[in-house]
Coordinates of all heavy atoms in Angstrom, one line a residue:
S1049 N 16.3 4.1 -6.6 CA 16.6 4.2 -5.2 C 16.0 5.5 -4.6 O 16.2 5.8 -3.5 CB 18.1 4.2 -5.0 OG 18.6 5.2 -5.8
W1050 N 15.3 6.2 -5.4 CA 14.8 7.5 -4.9 C 13.7 7.4 -3.9 O 13.6 8.3 -3.1 CB 14.3 8.4 -6.1 CG 13.1 7.9 -6.8 CD1 13.1 6.9 -7.8 CD2 11.8 8.2 -6.5 NE1 11.8 6.7 -8.2 CE2 11.0 7.4 -7.4 CE3 11.1 9.0 -5.6 CZ2 9.6 7.5 -7.4 CZ3 9.7 9.1 -5.6 CH2 9.0 8.3 -6.6
R1051 N 12.9 6.4 -4.0 CA 11.8 6.2 -3.1 C 12.3 5.9 -1.7 O 13.0 4.9 -1.6 CB 10.9 5.1 -3.6 CG 9.5 5.5 -3.8 CD 8.8 4.3 -4.3 NE 8.1 4.6 -5.6 CZ 7.0 5.3 -5.7 NH1 6.5 5.8 -4.6 NH2 6.5 5.6 -6.9
M1052 N 12.0 6.7 -0.7 CA 12.5 6.4 0.6 C 11.8 5.2 1.1 O 10.6 5.2 1.3 CB 12.2 7.6 1.6 CG 13.0 8.8 1.2 SD 14.8 8.5 1.0 CE 15.2 7.7 2.5
W1326 N 23.8 18.0 -2.3 CA 23.5 17.1 -3.4 C 24.7 16.9 -4.3 O 25.0 15.8 -4.8 CB 22.3 17.6 -4.3 CG 21.9 16.6 -5.3 CD1 21.2 15.5 -5.1 CD2 22.1 16.7 -6.7 NE1 21.0 14.8 -6.3 CE2 21.5 15.6 -7.3 CE3 22.7 17.7 -7.5 CZ2 21.5 15.3 -8.7 CZ3 22.7 17.4 -8.9 CH2 22.1 16.3 -9.5
L1329 N 27.7 15.1 -1.6 CA 27.5 13.8 -0.9 C 27.3 12.7 -1.9 O 26.7 12.9 -3.0 CB 26.3 13.9 0.0 CG 26.6 14.4 1.4 CD1 27.3 15.7 1.5 CD2 25.3 14.4 2.2
P1330 N 27.7 11.5 -1.5 CA 27.2 10.3 -2.2 C 25.7 10.2 -2.2 O 25.1 10.6 -1.2 CB 27.8 9.1 -1.5 CG 28.8 9.7 -0.5 CD 28.5 11.1 -0.3
R1331 N 25.1 9.7 -3.3 CA 23.6 9.7 -3.4 C 22.9 9.1 -2.3 O 21.9 9.6 -1.8 CB 23.2 9.0 -4.7 CG 23.6 9.7 -6.0 CD 22.7 10.8 -6.4 NE 23.3 11.5 -7.6 CZ 24.0 12.6 -7.4 NH1 24.1 13.1 -6.2 NH2 24.5 13.2 -8.4
D1332 N 23.4 7.9 -1.8 CA 22.6 7.2 -0.8 C 22.6 8.0 0.5 O 21.7 8.1 1.3 CB 23.1 5.8 -0.6 CG 24.6 5.7 -0.4 OD1 25.2 6.7 -0.8 OD2 25.1 4.7 0.0
L1333 N 23.8 8.6 0.8 CA 23.9 9.4 2.0 C 23.0 10.7 1.9 O 22.4 11.0 2.9 CB 25.4 9.8 2.2 CG 25.7 10.4 3.6 CD1 25.4 9.5 4.7 CD2 27.2 10.8 3.7
F1334 N 23.0 11.3 0.8 CA 22.2 12.4 0.6 C 20.7 12.1 0.8 O 20.0 12.8 1.5 CB 22.3 13.0 -0.9 CG 21.4 14.1 -1.2 CD1 21.7 15.4 -0.8 CD2 20.2 13.9 -1.9 CE1 20.8 16.4 -1.1 CE2 19.4 14.9 -2.2 CZ 19.6 16.2 -1.8
Q1335 N 20.3 10.9 0.3 CA 18.9 10.5 0.5 C 18.6 10.3 2.0 O 17.6 10.7 2.5 CB 18.7 9.1 -0.2 CG 18.6 9.1 -1.7 CD 17.3 9.8 -2.2 OE1 16.3 9.7 -1.5 NE2 17.4 10.4 -3.3
K1336 N 19.6 9.7 2.7 CA 19.3 9.4 4.1 C 19.3 10.6 4.9 O 18.4 10.8 5.8 CB 20.5 8.4 4.6 CG 20.3 7.9 6.0 CD 21.4 7.0 6.4 CE 21.5 6.8 7.9 NZ 22.7 6.1 8.3
L1337 N 20.2 11.6 4.7 CA 20.3 12.7 5.6 C 19.4 13.9 5.1 O 18.9 14.7 6.0 CB 21.7 13.2 5.6 CG 22.8 12.2 6.2 CD1 24.1 12.9 6.2 CD2 22.4 11.7 7.5
F1338 N 19.1 14.0 3.8 CA 18.5 15.2 3.3 C 17.0 15.0 2.8 O 16.4 15.9 2.4 CB 19.3 15.9 2.3 CG 20.5 16.6 2.8 CD1 21.6 15.9 3.1 CD2 20.4 18.0 3.0 CE1 22.7 16.6 3.7 CE2 21.5 18.6 3.6 CZ 22.7 17.9 3.9
R1339 N 16.6 13.7 2.8 CA 15.3 13.4 2.2 C 14.4 12.5 3.1 O 13.3 12.3 2.8 CB 15.4 12.8 0.8 CG 16.0 13.7 -0.2 CD 15.0 14.8 -0.5 NE 15.5 15.8 -1.6 CZ 16.1 16.9 -1.3 NH1 16.3 17.3 -0.1 NH2 16.5 17.7 -2.3
Q1340 N 15.0 12.0 4.2 CA 14.3 11.0 4.9 C 13.4 11.6 6.0 O 12.4 11.1 6.3 CB 15.3 10.0 5.5 CG 14.7 8.7 5.9 CD 15.8 7.7 6.4 OE1 16.7 8.2 7.2 NE2 15.8 6.5 6.0
D1341 N 13.9 12.6 6.6 CA 13.3 13.2 7.8 C 13.5 14.7 7.8 O 14.6 15.2 7.6 CB 14.0 12.6 9.0 CG 13.5 13.1 10.4 OD1 13.1 14.2 10.4 OD2 13.6 12.3 11.3
S1466 N 16.3 9.5 -13.4 CA 16.7 8.9 -12.1 C 17.3 10.0 -11.2 O 17.1 10.0 -10.0 CB 17.7 7.8 -12.2 OG 17.1 6.7 -13.0
L1467 N 18.1 10.8 -11.8 CA 18.8 11.9 -11.0 C 17.7 12.8 -10.4 O 17.8 13.2 -9.2 CB 19.7 12.7 -11.9 CG 21.2 12.3 -11.9 CD1 21.9 13.3 -12.8 CD2 21.7 12.3 -10.5
L1469 N 14.6 12.3 -9.9 CA 13.8 11.7 -8.8 C 14.6 11.6 -7.5 O 14.1 11.8 -6.4 CB 13.4 10.3 -9.2 CG 12.3 10.2 -10.3 CD1 12.1 8.8 -10.8 CD2 11.0 10.8 -9.8
S1470 N 15.9 11.4 -7.6 CA 16.7 11.2 -6.4 C 16.9 12.6 -5.7 O 17.1 12.7 -4.5 CB 18.1 10.6 -6.7 OG 18.9 11.6 -7.3
V1471 N 16.8 13.7 -6.5 CA 16.9 15.0 -5.9 C 15.6 15.2 -5.1 O 15.6 16.0 -4.1 CB 17.0 16.1 -7.0 CG1 16.8 17.5 -6.4 CG2 18.4 16.0 -7.6
G1472 N 14.5 14.6 -5.5 CA 13.3 14.8 -4.8 C 12.2 15.5 -5.5 O 11.4 16.2 -5.0

Side-chain angles (χ1 to χ4, degrees):
S1049 55
W1050 65 273
R1051 238 177 235 287
M1052 293 310 308
W1326 187 72
L1329 268 60
R1331 293 275 171 267
D1332 50 344
L1333 190 58
F1334 175 80
Q1335 287 289 331
K1336 184 179 164 189
L1337 301 181
F1338 286 81
R1339 291 293 180 262
Q1340 199 178 43
D1341 176 330
S1466 298
L1467 265 186
L1469 288 171
S1470 75
V1471 169

